[in-house]
Amino acid sequence: MKLRYSPASPYVRKCLVLAHEAGLAGRIETVPTVTADPASGLAKDNPLGKIPALIVKDGQVLFDSPVICEYLDSLHRRPKLIPARGKARWTTLRRHALADGILDASLLRRYESLRPANERSPTWDDKQRGVVTRALDVLEKEVKDLGKPNAKNTTLGHIAIGCALGYLDFRFAAENWRNGRPKLAAWYEAYAKRPSMAATVPKDQT
Ligand SMILES: N[C@@H](CCC(=O)N[C@@H](CS)C(=O)NCC(=O)O)C(=O)O
């Protein structure tokens, strides 16, 4: 499988962390892709022009990280990272959605910050920052339910939350999301040590 990839993308990271947890990382060939570069050919693979995009055996291209995660989770025989049914499934999907919401709002803020100063909207930035703040406050309340970060209880929900917090450290370190959220900070400190997270620490594409 080939994965359209950037080491800076938190959505890509989510897929790779899941691949590591599932024992599939060795089957994924990463294809460094600069989304803004038309020569990358990305639009041919994903008309939405986004990474991650996963090119599978029969040539089909899967995109949007939730779809890719679902596909990868179907390929292995370890305990599933997306529970098949029951409360565990809905809790996992809700956590995934909450963490992706943090990412979506943070990416909007990141893109806004890269626009020329006279085209930026502080109102827009405040709105997105508010989204992130509210979601983090919910996580601080719910983090006790995540349990100890270990291979046994890891789900896509945990992975997505870990990647979202890692992205805040990567791009918004000065805002220090840990302030007032000691329980979430402690959980993340332990979770970030998982080999799957340590192997995928974000960095700028060179
Ligand atoms: N919902 C998508 C979001 C993917 C996304 O926004 N990726 C960013 C990189 S972190 C991207 O490709 N941005 C390029 C663009 O929006 O033009 C997913 O979960 O895969």
Side-chain angles (χ1 to χ4, degrees):
M1 294 174 278
K2 288 188 182 173
L3 182 70
R4 290 270 195 184
Y5 150 100
S6 156
S9 167
Y11 304 98
V12 168
R13 186 183 192 194
K14 214 172 49 177
C15 299
L16 286 176
V17 171
L18 186 139
H20 277 276
E21 295 289 353
L24 297 168
R27 287 171 56 184
I28 296 180
E29 182 191 334
T30 51
V31 181
T33 300
V34 176
T35 56
D37 178 6
S40 70
L42 173 62
K44 205 167 31 72
D45 284 339
N46 179 359
L48 307 176
K50 294 185 185 202
I51 54 170
L54 184 74
I55 301 136
V56 300
K57 232 184 180 170
D58 64 3
Q60 188 178 35
V61 184
L62 300 176
F63 42 82
D64 231 64
S65 57
V67 177
I68 295 172
C69 288
E70 189 91 41
Y71 176 76
L72 293 174
D73 205 33
S74 76
L75 296 182
H76 67 96
R77 288 176 183 275
R78 292 185 181 181
K80 293 297 176 189
L81 295 151
I82 307 171
R85 61 186 68 81
K87 187 167 180 209
R89 175 171 177 80
W90 303 116
T91 302
T92 296
L93 296 185
R94 178 180 172 280
R95 285 179 181 148
H96 185 194
L98 189 61
D100 268 11
I102 292 175
L103 285 182
D104 294 345
S106 300
L107 263 285
L108 289 173
R109 295 190 68 203
R110 166 80 181 154
Y111 292 145
E112 188 74 3
S113 76
L114 298 175
R115 287 155 69 94
N118 64 338
E119 290 179 17
R120 287 181 213 148
S121 161
T123 319
W124 175 250
D125 187 69
D126 280 353
K127 179 174 157 49
Q128 301 310 328
R129 192 172 173 162
V131 169
V132 174
T133 301
R134 287 196 303 273
L136 288 172
D137 289 344
V138 165
L139 284 175
E140 173 69 6
K141 283 198 192 110
E142 296 183 0
V143 69
K144 58 183 182 321
D145 304 328
L146 291 178
K148 286 220 161 33
N150 60 37
K152 267 197 180 149
N153 75 2
T154 284
T155 67
L156 178 58
H158 298 72
I159 293 170
I161 292 168
C163 290
L165 298 176
Y167 186 73
L168 295 179
D169 277 349
F170 180 46
R171 292 298 190 207
F172 297 93
E175 294 181 9
N176 201 355
W177 61 264
R178 291 171 179 78
N179 275 348
R181 301 185 188 100
K183 294 179 204 143
L184 190 57
W187 177 83
Y188 180 68
E189 196 187 334
Y191 191 73
K193 293 193 176 114
R194 286 200 56 69
S196 57
M197 290 290 286
T200 56
V201 172
K203 53 178 188 282
D204 276 310
Q205 187 140 259
T206 45

